[in-house]
């Protein structure tokens, strides 16, 4: 699921901003999270999606929360 999500993210980013539909990417990331609930790759993907959507503040909070709950 991780690789599929990465491909969908790259494909979505190639579209003009007004044509981007994030639902398929988010659905695949949700499936990845179900399959790999403790994977940091899921957090990284969610972060990449939020940044691609110009939601940097949410992306930062996501990483801070992930670091707090599972510090390296």
């Amino acid at each position: 699921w991780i690789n599929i999500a990465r491909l969908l993210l790259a494909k979505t980013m190639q579209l003009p901003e007004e044509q981007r539909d994030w639902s398929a990417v988010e659905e695949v990331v949700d499936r990845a999270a179900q399959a790999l609930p403790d994977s940091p790759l899921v957090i990284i993907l969610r972060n990449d999606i939020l940044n691609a959507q110009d939601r940097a503040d949410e992306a930062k909070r996501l990483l801070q929360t992930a670091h707090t709950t599972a510090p390296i």
Side-chain angles (χ1 to χ4, degrees), residues 9 13-14 16 22-25 30 34 43 56-58 67:
L9 175 59
M13 288 300 298
Q14 291 177 351
W22 296 101
S23 59
V25 180
D30 288 344
Q34 290 173 356
I43 300 298
D57 289 341
E58 290 176 64
H67 179 70

Side-chain angles (χ1 to χ4, degrees), residues 3 7 18 24 36 39 55:
N3 289 333
L7 289 171
E18 64 275 0
L36 304 164
S39 175
R55 296 164 58 189

